[in-house]
Amino acid sequence: MPSHLSADHPAAQPPPRGAVDALISQTRRLRGDMDAVRRDAPADGTDPEGRWQRALCDLAVHQLDDLDAHLAQLRDGPSTVPAEREEAPPAVRAVPPAPAGRGSLISRVGSAEWNLLTDEATWSGELYRILGRDPAAPPLTLDELPSVVLDKDRPRLTSMVTDCLIDGKPIDGEFRMVRPDGGVRTVHMMGEPVLDADGSTASMWAVLRDVSELRRSQRTVSETRDSLQRQRQVAQTERRLAVELQEAVLPPWRGSPPPPRQGPGILDLAARYLPSSTSSLIGGNWYDALDMPDGQKLLSVGDLTGHGVAVTSGVAMLLGALRGMAVAGTEPGQLLAWLNQLLDASLQPALGSAVCCRYRPQSRTLVWAQAGHPAPLLFRNGTGRMLAPPDGVLLGATSGAVYGQAEVPLEPGDLLLLHTDGLVPPRWGRPRPDATGTVESTADVSRLLDLAPRFQEARSAQDCVRTVVEEFGATEREDDACVLVARVTT
């Protein structure tokens, strides 16, 4: 692993998973080889050469263990950090630029020895550089060493040194040291007591690794992981709220409403909401069928741009206003004009499309208007056609828009299909409004019209919706979609 590989290089890109796996395998092979060398190293603590050989082997094993853990963290996400490392928060002060090697995940190593009989200390030149101290200054004694350690970490150092000097335990732990320039470095210290002829402790030697960059890199990966987890939790919460809000505002029936009242001209209804196959967020599609006090029926489908709670809240606002104004007897064209004003005055501007239809059962007449939305399809005697749309721009596209109306006589057995543009995949990309705000639908509605013979054989509106879902339900769609079927009973 080259020592110049930096975690915060501006052009660094995550390596392919296969390359990381190869590095992990190589690291573990090296670790096994180094462990074998360490086991063969002389164990006599009085032999300086053997002691340093074993120390270098220990350092190499620790370095390879850290590298293996870091590579696995980059590949799979961080594992649990040992408790002694969890306690170490990021430095309160930014560490100023250090000499060569700063930013490398490969640790710099220094060494030290403290003679307990003479109270003398010996430091390597690299340890001076790690701690940013003047090489001409005398090294710190064991009594002075805690003075440059962060207050929170001082008890840990004291405990390790005491265990080493009194009980002969090896030192192996981390703490943070403050440089004279105010920078903070995380140091991993390993050492052992050196015994004299009568078995008492004569000195203590140690090697110290600067693992600041490795720990910083691990924290960065961990914080990124935690941030992604929080984002996922927020997204899950928002989706749950959006689903609950959508269920609250759409008609209380799902799929098919209660059986229609008996009599000529009554509508048999069914509908379905189809979620997006590429997004977990709830979109702004809706359908509605509302009984009027005078026996008429209001049918509507629409689509508000965007996804999530804010959009479903907007749908709730539009549907509430639509139902209230419709019950008051407002005609479809005027309904859309007022919905346009409502959306235009909203604190969160958005665009929407809609079709509103008022059906009069006594005369079997459909009066309808559209706002930049695909026109209803009319199926009769085994064939289908798209109704000619009256003028109407997208809701929220312009202030003071006027919406035309069209009137269509229906016959017993006629079937109306209302849908949003996400139901059928477009021919050439997503629909776009023209200069007047009217959407030229690029959806291949001929595929819907081709279902006319199957609709002719269907026994109910629910069967017709089931046919549509069988044909288009498994289609990959970027947006959610709605379909509403109304059949005039005979």
Side-chain angles (χ1 to χ4, degrees), residues 15 17 34 45 57 61 72 126 171 211 247 326 341 346 353 367 446 457 472:
R17 184 183 178 93
M34 187 56 64
C57 290
V61 169
E126 187 64 16
I171 292 175
V211 294
E247 292 178 348
Q341 290 183 18
S346 174
S353 66
V367 178
S446 62
E457 297 174 359
F472 302 106

Side-chain angles (χ1 to χ4, degrees), residues 411-431:
E411 299 177 2
D414 280 356
L415 184 142
L416 285 168
L417 188 150
L418 283 65
H419 67 95
T420 57
D421 57 26
L423 178 65
V424 184
R427 296 178 195 152
W428 308 290
R430 297 180 61 81

Side-chain angles (χ1 to χ4, degrees), residues 435-490:
T436 66
T438 302
V439 170
E440 294 295 336
S441 178
T442 60
D444 189 3
V445 294
S446 62
R447 294 179 58 190
L448 282 169
L449 297 176
D450 289 342
L451 299 178
R454 296 171 65 181
F455 289 163
Q456 180 72 10
E457 297 174 359
R459 293 174 298 176
S460 65
Q462 178 62 28
D463 289 342
C464 295
V465 167
R466 191 174 296 114
T467 297
V468 174
V469 173
E470 289 173 357
E471 187 70 21
F472 302 106
T475 301
E476 288 194 6
R477 55 177 56 83
E478 295 181 7
D479 198 2
D480 48 353
C482 290
V483 57
L484 172 64
V485 169
R487 191 171 71 167
V488 182
T489 59
T490 56

Side-chain angles (χ1 to χ4, degrees), residues 5 31 129 138 164 167 175 179 185 193 200 212 223 275 280 283 289 297 306 314 335 382 386 392 411 417 422 467 484:
L5 178 60
R31 202 270 187 204
R129 286 188 285 272
C164 178
D167 299 327
F175 48 88
R179 294 161 53 107
R185 308 304 292 173
S200 60
S212 304
E223 289 165 1
S280 61
K297 181 82 73 173
L335 274 175
M386 179 185 289
E411 299 177 2
L417 188 150
T467 297
L484 172 64

Side-chain angles (χ1 to χ4, degrees), residues 38 56 64 127 189 199 203 206 213 342-343 361 363 476-477 479 490:
R38 181 177 60 171
L56 290 175
L64 291 169
L127 183 55
M189 183 177 182
S203 63
E213 296 310 311
L342 180 62
L343 203 56
S363 60
E476 288 194 6
R477 55 177 56 83
D479 198 2
T490 56

Side-chain angles (χ1 to χ4, degrees), residues 75-376:
R75 181 193 62 185
D76 302 326
S79 59
T80 302
V81 180
E84 67 175 15
R85 295 176 187 174
E86 275 185 345
E87 294 175 1
V92 274
R93 287 190 56 183
V95 179
R102 169 71 168 92
S104 173
L105 299 183
I106 303 301
S107 308
R108 292 159 49 184
V109 180
S111 61
E113 185 161 1
W114 290 274
N115 189 311
L116 303 182
L117 302 178
T118 64
D119 203 26
E120 293 177 340
T122 303
W123 282 13
S124 69
E126 187 64 16
L127 183 55
Y128 276 98
R129 286 188 285 272
I130 290 173
L131 300 183
R133 302 186 71 83
D134 183 359
L140 299 176
T141 66
L142 274 181
D143 291 336
E144 295 171 331
L145 189 62
S147 66
V148 297
V149 175
L150 284 186
D151 292 345
K152 185 177 181 180
D153 296 352
R154 201 169 293 156
R156 184 181 304 134
L157 173 64
T158 302
S159 175
M160 289 191 299
V161 171
T162 300
D163 290 344
C164 178
L165 298 181
I166 296 179
D167 299 327
K169 295 182 179 180
I171 292 175
D172 188 351
E174 289 183 12
F175 48 88
R176 291 164 298 175
M177 304 185 76
V178 182
R179 294 161 53 107
D181 59 12
V184 177
R185 308 304 292 173
T186 301
V187 175
H188 180 213
M189 183 177 182
M190 297 173 56
E192 293 180 356
V194 178
L195 306 181
D196 59 15
D198 63 2
S200 60
T201 304
S203 63
M204 188 187 83
W205 63 269
V207 289
L208 296 96
R209 284 193 306 152
D210 181 358
V211 294
S212 304
E213 296 310 311
L214 182 61
R215 299 298 175 246
R216 184 197 59 78
S217 180
Q218 289 173 335
R219 284 196 301 270
T220 299
V221 174
S222 180
E223 289 165 1
T224 301
R225 188 273 315 267
D226 293 342
S227 176
L228 291 175
Q229 286 181 338
R230 286 192 296 271
Q231 291 175 13
R232 284 194 292 268
Q233 291 171 354
V234 170
Q236 291 170 355
T237 301
E238 288 186 350
R239 174 173 171 77
R240 185 176 67 252
L241 292 174
V243 169
E244 293 174 354
L245 186 56
Q246 183 190 61
E247 292 178 348
V249 299
L250 290 183
W253 45 271
R254 293 293 181 266
S256 180
R261 293 172 295 176
Q262 299 301 314
I266 299 299
L267 293 182
D268 176 20
L269 296 171
R272 185 71 63 86
Y273 170 85
L274 299 174
S276 166
S277 58
T278 61
S279 173
S280 61
L281 296 176
I282 300 296
N285 284 247
W286 87 81
Y287 63 87
D288 197 22
L290 184 66
D291 290 319
M292 300 288 101
D294 56 5
Q296 299 182 19
K297 181 82 73 173
L298 181 76
L299 308 177
S300 68
V301 295
D303 183 7
L304 195 61
T305 55
H307 295 83
V309 175
V311 174
T312 49
S313 298
V315 170
M317 175 188 69
L318 289 181
L319 271 179
L322 179 67
R323 291 165 178 168
M325 292 185 293
V327 169
T330 309
E331 290 296 306
Q334 186 61 56
L335 274 175
L336 292 181
W338 285 345
L339 288 182
N340 179 67
Q341 290 183 18
L342 180 62
L343 203 56
D344 184 56
S346 174
L347 294 178
Q348 295 181 332
L351 293 176
S353 66
V355 164
C356 287
C357 307
R358 182 180 283 271
Y359 175 69
R360 301 185 176 115
Q362 295 83 0
S363 60
R364 297 193 183 94
T365 302
L366 185 78
V367 178
W368 71 285
Q370 64 85 26
H373 197 88

